[in-house]
Amino acid sequence: MSEPKSSVRPASRPKPALDAVMADKSGNPLRRALWLDALDRQLRPQLPPPLRSRCRLANVDGEHLVFLVESPVWHAKLRLAEAQLLDAARSIGLKATKVTVKTASPTPTRSPTLDNRNGPHAVSAATHKGLRDALAALQDLPSKPKRET
């Protein structure tokens, strides 16, 4: 005899979030970001030591590599290393023929929105009194007579 079928399903574990995102088409930007990060980690060690920590691969568009640097000085130094970068890119299988270097300021460590998250700062009593006195003095000034034309 066969056993009766049960309506109880075996327990299934939920998919980890990363696996769930990567399984869908919506994971394409994440896959691309991971691919660019892997390329960046392969290319930067090929650069002269001071440049390694001052630039980052931002994009690969066909045969075009785009790097970001934090200042014009590093922009110029990376431009001088362009041939070295192209050789390194070709050595890992990219068909790179062109390098663009863009200067982007580093992300600020503090943000005005974060600084003001607790609302306006309290004004000291002395500042408050000084402002009141200044306003009173302005109100006490005689108005200028109108000039006749």
Side-chain angles (χ1 to χ4, degrees):
M1 288 191 143
S2 64
E3 298 208 12
K5 291 186 178 179
S6 170
S7 62
V8 178
R9 290 186 184 166
S12 65
R13 289 185 299 153
K15 269 187 181 178
L18 184 59
D19 292 344
V21 169
M22 296 295 266
D24 193 26
K25 185 179 176 184
S26 63
N28 287 346
L30 183 56
R31 275 190 285 281
R32 179 156 176 86
L34 291 170
W35 176 72
L36 285 171
D37 184 57
L39 287 176
D40 181 57
R41 282 185 272 121
Q42 290 178 312
L43 291 174
R44 280 198 289 164
Q46 307 301 318
L47 293 170
L51 273 172
R52 291 177 192 165
S53 63
R54 302 297 183 161
C55 69
R56 179 144 182 93
L57 179 66
N59 197 14
V60 176
D61 186 12
E63 298 177 351
H64 186 187
L65 302 177
V66 180
F67 276 84
L68 293 178
V69 294
E70 59 189 42
S71 73
V73 170
W74 297 112
H75 184 279
K77 290 185 182 211
L78 191 59
R79 295 298 308 165
L80 292 173
E82 182 177 349
Q84 198 174 350
L85 260 176
L86 289 172
D87 288 342
R90 289 182 196 122
S91 75
I92 61 171
L94 296 174
K95 294 179 168 112
T97 59
K98 182 180 177 186
V99 174
T100 297
V101 182
K102 295 184 177 188
T103 304
S105 14
T107 306
T109 55
R110 294 184 63 165
S111 162
T113 55
L114 290 177
D115 288 344
N116 292 330
R117 68 180 168 240
N118 296 328
H121 298 288
V123 177
S124 70
T127 302
H128 190 66
K129 182 185 179 313
L131 287 171
R132 244 184 316 171
D133 292 347
L135 182 60
L138 288 173
Q139 290 173 343
D140 289 344
L141 289 176
S143 59
K144 293 182 181 180
K146 292 184 181 176
R147 291 180 20 189
E148 293 186 29
T149 55

